[in-house]
Amino acid sequence: MKILVLGSGAGGGFPQWNCNCRQCAGQRQGELTAHARTQSSIAVSADGQAWALLNASPDIGQQLRRYPQLHPRQGLRDTPIKAVVLMDAQIDHVTGLLGMREGPCIDVYATPCVFEDLTTVFPILGVLEHYCGTRWHMLPVAGSTTSASFMIDGFASLRFTAVAIPGKAPPYSPHRRDHTVGDNIALFIEDFHEGSTLFYSPGLAHVGAEELKWMHDADCLLVDGTFWAEDEMQQAGLGRKTASDMGHLPQTGDPTRPGMVDVMAATAARRKVLIHINNSNPILDETSEQRRLLDGHGIEVAYDGMEITL
Ligand code: MLT
Ligand code: MN
Ligand code: ZN
């Protein structure tokens, strides 16, 4: 299985266009040892020919231009992107669909909750009907069904499993305050040929027994790296919301709750990688003490263009 990180930043990317915080300003001025990052999305492939996007970022145009693997190959109009799987209906994960409107009808894999948001309060799928159109593949994660395995045409050696996880529906969604099973999923992907597995979860609010079970079975973890600390936005004067308010488990824990670093340290995955890094997170600074701590645990920080082969 090949994984290509198209974007490794959280909503807003890094540096964020309107942000003058120490890190965003420092990156712009070349005073910080940190790479710019577009908003999060990854592409996966079994053969390097057909690719599936996991989330479609608003930065998709820039991302698709940058990576030759995703360029057209034959014929006048062509794309190796055969499907888009959505983890939630957040703006930074779905608006890239609009950037694919010049291409063929898009095969979209998502839960009923996500299809509902994207056809009612944020009706981009209806809008796309006037362009390329979308073919819906309903992932039956809803009600008491908390996981569902599925295959994608053209990816015969990969089995995908959508797993309901604790998280937050987008701020615009009626589910924001009324969490519904299917608002947020993680993906567990198995490659039958290589015998390898990936757990992908860019927005994960809590790791309980169920999430841990999936994480324990994965060779590679690619998980929520949004915030280092619960009150990071407040500390930086950037906002009032905590990591929990936004549906993200911070890397550092407290006596009542282990952080993502503790969780990852307790798994046996070969690769442990944080993705969807917010511009306020000190791990963006490659010389930071927080980054050294991650290194000590064998935890990597995803960057745009990172390739992982499993
Ligand atoms: C989040 O995951 O909380 C987002 O990155 C917020 C956003 O899209 O602005
Ligand atoms: Mn996000
Ligand atoms: Zn900033």
Side-chain angles (χ1 to χ4, degrees), residues 33-286:
T33 312
H35 291 279
R37 284 170 163 82
T38 59
Q39 298 170 82
S40 84
S41 169
I42 67 170
V44 295
S45 178
D47 57 7
Q49 299 299 314
W51 292 84
L53 293 190
L54 309 189
N55 290 330
S57 155
D59 299 321
I60 194 166
Q62 182 184 345
Q63 295 172 345
L64 298 188
R65 259 174 230 115
R66 178 169 168 190
Y67 304 108
Q69 298 94 316
L70 303 178
H71 290 173
R73 294 185 185 160
Q74 44 199 299
L76 201 51
R77 292 280 166 90
D78 179 48
T79 175
I81 299 170
K82 302 303 174 198
V84 180
V85 189
L86 301 175
M87 304 305 112
D88 53 47
Q90 293 270 8
I91 288 185
D92 59 337
H93 288 164
V94 304
T95 43
L97 289 170
L98 296 172
M100 296 173 76
R101 69 192 175 284
E102 300 89 353
C105 182
I106 310 168
D107 285 279
V108 180
Y109 293 73
T111 63
C113 281
V114 168
F115 278 119
E116 183 190 328
D117 279 343
L118 299 185
T119 47
T120 56
V121 280
F122 187 37
I124 62 171
L125 298 184
V127 171
L128 281 172
E129 283 312 300
H130 301 277
Y131 298 86
C132 56
T134 55
R135 243 183 319 269
W136 295 18
H137 302 264
M138 198 65 80
L139 306 178
V141 175
S144 56
T145 306
T146 55
S147 70
S149 293
F150 62 102
M151 304 289 287
I152 300 180
D153 262 1
F155 298 79
S157 61
L158 300 185
R159 178 167 58 203
F160 297 77
T161 303
V163 181
I165 49 159
K168 279 277 165 89
Y172 69 77
S173 170
H175 296 163
R176 179 71 168 191
R177 272 176 201 80
D178 175 25
H179 178 70
T180 309
V181 172
D183 281 333
N184 303 85
I185 58 165
L187 273 190
F188 186 79
I189 309 177
E190 297 159 87
D191 182 324
F192 300 129
H193 278 171
E194 303 298 332
S196 56
T197 51
L198 166 72
F199 181 80
Y200 176 60
S201 185
L204 183 56
H206 173 78
V207 177
E210 194 58 24
E211 292 72 40
L212 215 67
K213 181 176 81 67
W214 291 100
M215 289 172 84
H216 269 299
D217 286 342
D219 297 312
C220 176
L221 302 174
L222 196 48
V223 297
D224 192 330
T226 314
F227 296 115
W228 179 258
E230 175 70 8
D231 61 352
E232 182 175 310
M233 295 286 279
Q234 296 160 326
Q235 288 294 336
L238 294 172
R240 277 176 309 180
K241 288 180 185 166
T242 62
S244 306
D245 291 336
M246 296 176 73
H248 301 292
L249 177 68
Q251 279 105 64
T252 46
D254 60 43
T256 63
R257 176 183 69 164
M260 194 64 92
V261 168
D262 309 307
V263 171
M264 291 173 101
T267 70
R270 281 193 270 140
R271 301 285 296 266
K272 303 174 182 180
V273 187
L274 294 167
I275 193 167
H276 190 275
I277 322 294
N278 197 55
N279 47 70
S280 53
N281 193 328
I283 65 175
L284 287 169
D285 178 351
E286 289 165 25

Side-chain angles (χ1 to χ4, degrees), residues 19 21 24 238 279:
C19 190
C21 76
C24 289
L238 294 172
N279 47 70

